Amino acid sequence: MTNDELNQILELNGEERYDYFLSLVGEEREIWILVNAENRFLKIESEGAALAHLPVWPGSAFAAEYAKGTGDLSPKSISLPDFFRKWVPGLTRDGLEVGVFPGHDDTLWITEPEELKRDLQDEMSGF
């Protein structure tokens, strides 16, 4: 993917990026997160910690672009079966939402883990 293509996708609005995410993840069967040197995943909390979410991306290049300038964050892939089996219950238990595909405009689609799982399963049923 060229830089122009990457930036073009990152310029889409939150809903368009969500649809792109579902399509690409449905095809590739993996989700990308960012982890630090200790292999701890990036979690973003709103002011006052009223809302916390795990940001996810449909590909390594998008996660890497987001991590530019952070120093110690690097993309890590999670297979879709692992995400469904381990991450969705864990995120739900911990009260974490999922922030799907942050873009250049700092908007993103925030959803519950179970809802994202259903949307991805619906997407994959078309393959």
Side-chain angles (χ1 to χ4, degrees), residues 16-35:
E16 292 168 328
R17 284 195 317 276
Y18 187 76
D19 290 341
Y20 181 88
F21 175 90
L22 293 177
S23 176
L24 191 57
V25 169
E27 211 174 288
E28 301 292 328
R29 303 287 202 268
E30 63 185 357
I31 287 177
W32 290 83
I33 62 170
L34 290 171
V35 295

Side-chain angles (χ1 to χ4, degrees), residues 46-63:
S46 64
E47 288 195 29
L51 176 70
H53 71 271
L54 169 74
V56 296
W57 292 267
S60 149
F62 298 112

